[in-house]
């Protein structure tokens, strides 16, 4: 069988990353999330700190407008004034995602991987979501915030992820039509959500 990629988008607190990590372990493949930033830094020679600062978010100016910079495979070469622009940081991450898909089966969390690999034959794209209270309860286990501050943090994180996705894909992040599967992790739990993804894989890709 050819390499496959499971691309997971997720609301903050829904457990999408944990589901991806567990799924990768069960399947015996690697799971990539923030590791892509380091790999893109190594590939480009651009400092990793810049990738971290722009990870799945864009500037406030873009957030308030309707600007789009839909990814189509481009890279900005060294020496160009925009070489270290936020756009080129994303382009290098996309290059790493494509390289990974060509090299190995894997799970990739976030970073518009579903769009970058939209023409990839063995892609399984998943959006993991959950009700607000469920996401807040899980988020409280990860960040030292409570009450309204926690709510603002979770809402802001998802707002940035949605704006980042729309800027580089032209699509709405939470639109079910962008994904093969949309799963409510609060209904199934992490383990069974992973089982549903594996069942879909079996049907799509065969044994």
């Amino acid at each position: 069988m050819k390499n496959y990629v499971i691309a997971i988008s997720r609301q903050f607190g829904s457990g999408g990353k944990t589901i991806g990590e567990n799924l990768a372990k069960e399947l015996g493949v690697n799971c990539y999330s923030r590791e892509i930033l380091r790999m893109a830094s190594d590939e480009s020679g651009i400092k990793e700190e810049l990738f971290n600062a722009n990870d799945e978010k864009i500037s406030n100016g873009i957030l308030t407008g309707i600007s789009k910079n839909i990814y189509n495979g481009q890279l900005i070469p060294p020496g160009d004034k925009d070489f270290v622009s936020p756009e080129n940081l994303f382009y290098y991450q996309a290059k790493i995602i494509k390289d990974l898909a060509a090299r190995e089966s894997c799970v990739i969390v976030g970073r518009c991987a579903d769009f970058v690999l939209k023409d990839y034959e063995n892609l399984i794209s998943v959006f993991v979501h959950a009700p607000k209270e469920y996401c807040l309860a899980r988020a409280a286990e990860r960040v030292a915030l409570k009450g309204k501050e926690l709510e603002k943090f979770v809402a802001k994180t998802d707002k940035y992820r949605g704006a980042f996705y729309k800027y580089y894909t032209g699509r709405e992040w939470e639109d079910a039509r962008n994904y093969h599967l949309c799963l409510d992790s609060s209904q199934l739990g992490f383990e069974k959500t992973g089982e549903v993804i594996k069942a879909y894989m079996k049907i799509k890709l065969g044994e």
Side-chain angles (χ1 to χ4, degrees):
M1 183 176 72
K2 292 182 180 178
N3 294 338
Y4 61 82
V5 175
I6 302 170
I8 297 180
S9 296
R10 73 287 183 223
Q11 289 181 321
F12 190 86
S14 68
K17 183 180 179 182
T18 301
I19 290 166
E21 291 172 339
N22 292 344
L23 190 57
K25 186 175 181 180
E26 291 175 18
L27 294 170
V29 301
N30 291 315
C31 180
Y32 296 99
S33 179
R34 293 186 64 85
E35 296 85 359
I36 291 172
L37 307 180
R38 175 186 53 77
M39 297 166 77
S41 174
D42 292 343
E43 174 79 18
S44 64
I46 299 171
K47 291 181 179 179
E48 188 174 345
E49 289 81 0
L50 289 176
F51 286 95
N52 289 328
N54 289 276
D55 185 28
E56 292 195 297
K57 57 181 178 286
I58 54 178
S59 71
N60 285 320
I62 294 173
L63 271 176
T64 58
I66 57 172
S67 299
K68 296 176 186 175
N69 191 46
I70 298 174
Y71 172 72
N72 63 8
Q74 66 268 43
L75 279 177
I76 299 173
D80 190 287
K81 63 181 179 61
D82 292 324
F83 179 63
V84 296
S85 65
E87 289 78 11
N88 207 35
L89 299 179
F90 174 75
Y91 301 158
Y92 269 100
Q93 291 177 66
K95 181 181 185 302
I96 295 300
I97 288 169
K98 287 183 172 180
D99 289 346
L100 288 170
R103 188 176 73 213
E104 61 182 277
S105 294
C106 60
V107 176
I108 298 177
V109 179
R111 293 157 191 88
C112 306
D114 62 285
F115 183 82
V116 172
L117 299 176
K118 65 184 187 299
D119 298 321
Y120 186 68
E121 181 181 4
N122 286 352
L123 170 70
I124 296 96
S125 59
V126 184
F127 185 78
V128 179
H129 60 96
K132 178 181 176 180
E133 293 306 318
Y134 181 89
C135 290
L136 287 173
R138 285 206 68 259
E141 300 172 359
R142 300 178 56 192
V143 296
L145 296 172
K146 296 180 180 179
K148 293 295 183 183
E149 291 302 313
L150 179 64
E151 287 189 39
K152 289 179 182 178
F153 177 81
V154 172
K156 183 177 180 180
T157 301
D158 282 345
K159 181 180 181 181
Y160 273 115
R161 286 178 178 175
F164 181 88
Y165 186 88
K166 186 170 185 177
Y167 185 64
Y168 290 111
T169 72
R171 300 176 175 181
E172 296 296 333
W173 180 55
E174 295 179 317
D175 189 338
R177 292 171 294 184
N178 298 331
Y179 310 97
H180 299 130
L181 294 173
C182 292
L183 299 171
D184 183 344
S185 57
S186 74
Q187 294 295 309
L188 298 173
F190 293 174
E191 183 178 348
K192 289 184 179 179
T193 298
E195 291 297 324
V196 172
I197 297 171
K198 286 193 293 183
Y200 179 86
M201 280 181 58
K202 185 176 181 180
I203 294 169
K204 181 176 181 179
L205 305 180
E207 297 292 341

